[in-house]
Amino acid sequence: MTEETPLRADRAGIYGEVFKIDGKEVVLMGGNYVVKAAPYFPPLDIVQKNAKAMAQGAKAMAYTPPPTADGTPRPVVPCVRLGVLMEAAIPKRGTDIDPSYASKLEAVIRAFKDEGVYVFLDMHQDAAATTNGGEGYPYWVMEDFQNRAGCCCEQCCCCCCFAGTWSSCPETCRTSYLVNPNHPLKCFLGCNWLADLCCCLGIHTYSGDPDPWKPYAVGGEGNPALMNVGNASIRMNNTDNKWGSLITSAQVQNLVPRLYNSANNAADRAVFF
């Protein structure tokens, strides 16, 4: 933001290296507020209690921020980084925002606002999607990318890449954008293949399941929107310090560049936008 960019009264803006509210420098302090699966927000009464606690904590803290350049005191203003997931906003293929989610989001923001807690909307994601073990983007986007996937030389282990058409390539040899029996969670063998291999050695599967990547996968049993919490093998790879295995997986390393470049591809743009 600049001084020439008007904001509604009481809105916080970025001016160079400082935050200002109504022209006065402030120090925004707070924390994260992210629920990574349905229902995506706590019950409203819990949100209200949390907002009140944040506001009271900001008032009671002993910390005093350094003053402005001219010596004017800078007050602490409570804030929260609120996770807003695209998978929650558009759970089904299409372009319409889910009205129930929109209503909950408005109510949560108002609960913080009523206590004077400022809100940063965070388009949150980890490992991009539930079908990779994370959350963020709708799984149906990944499903579409996978349905249109072709071979990729660094991913391919046979000569089908040279058969003349991508359609002749077997499914197991196509680029992986999600996890399912044909595309198990695996390492990304990129330029620094040794580093990739070391990071991915920790991928585990649940020994009690004869087909570990099928439950909750696209085409398997269960809702793919819940694969990050429902699939036992995924759960062995998305807890605590296991996130490194997901982030360096073939699925994520293939998917994220395609998401970011989707504006430049007509077919991908039609899906993702």
Side-chain angles (χ1 to χ4, degrees):
M1 307 301 298
T2 68
E3 295 290 352
E4 291 73 36
T5 304
L7 289 173
R8 295 204 305 269
D10 298 328
R11 290 290 294 272
I14 302 173
Y15 299 82
E17 297 182 351
V18 300
F19 289 103
K20 291 184 180 180
I21 297 176
D22 293 340
K24 299 178 181 178
E25 288 189 28
V26 300
V27 174
L28 293 167
M29 298 186 71
N32 295 323
Y33 208 79
V34 184
V35 179
K36 299 182 179 183
Y40 300 106
F41 299 118
L44 188 58
D45 63 320
I46 300 299
V47 178
Q48 292 168 337
K49 290 179 181 178
N50 293 158
K52 186 181 292 292
M54 289 182 186
Q56 292 174 344
K59 292 178 180 178
M61 69 168 55
Y63 171 71
T64 300
T68 65
D70 63 5
T72 303
R74 291 191 298 171
V76 170
V77 175
C79 69
V80 66
R81 172 177 172 253
L82 181 64
V84 180
L85 278 62
M86 187 177 173
E87 69 177 63
I90 313 179
K92 297 180 180 180
R93 181 164 181 160
T95 58
D96 294 331
I97 301 296
D98 179 67
S100 175
Y101 178 76
S103 178
K104 290 180 181 178
L105 175 59
E106 292 284 355
V108 168
I109 293 174
R110 182 166 296 280
F112 283 113
K113 178 179 183 295
D114 288 346
E115 297 295 337
V117 179
Y118 279 69
V119 177
F120 290 84
L121 297 183
D122 167 37
M123 187 175 170
H124 201 82
Q125 63 84 26
D126 291 295
T130 61
T131 46
N132 298 334
E135 81 290 324
Y137 300 106
Y139 81 87
W140 49 263
V141 175
M142 320 312 147
E143 180 181 14
D144 182 273
F145 286 179
Q146 192 63 68
N147 288 340
R148 293 184 289 114
C151 286
C152 188
C153 289
E154 74 267 19
Q155 298 277 328
C156 196
C157 58
C158 63
C159 60
C160 61
C161 289
F162 307 99
T165 62
W166 299 131
S167 60
S168 62
C169 182
E171 183 61 34
T172 53
C173 200
R174 295 177 184 271
T175 302
S176 297
Y177 293 105
L178 48 70
V179 176
N180 66 19
N182 289 325
H183 298 274
L185 188 66
K186 59 184 178 180
C187 306
F188 177 75
L189 300 181
C191 296
N192 192 350
W193 64 269
L194 183 58
D196 293 330
L197 183 61
C198 291
C199 289
C200 289
L201 284 176
I203 292 178
H204 298 290
T205 57
Y206 179 58
S207 60
D209 196 326
D211 199 349
W213 305 115
K214 185 175 181 179
Y216 292 88
V218 172
E221 301 99 8
N223 183 354
L226 301 176
M227 189 173 185
N228 57 342
V229 295
N231 182 286
S233 292
I234 285 289
R235 293 294 293 129
M236 295 181 70
N237 293 279
N238 69 0
T239 57
D240 301 327
N241 62 346
K242 295 295 295 177
W243 281 104
S245 297
L246 290 182
I247 294 171
T248 56
S249 68
Q251 282 81 359
V252 173
Q253 295 298 317
N254 292 328
L255 174 60
V256 172
R258 186 163 177 176
L259 285 171
Y260 287 139
N261 291 325
S262 59
N264 303 313
N265 179 289
D268 289 356
R269 182 183 177 90
V271 175
F272 189 53
F273 286 87

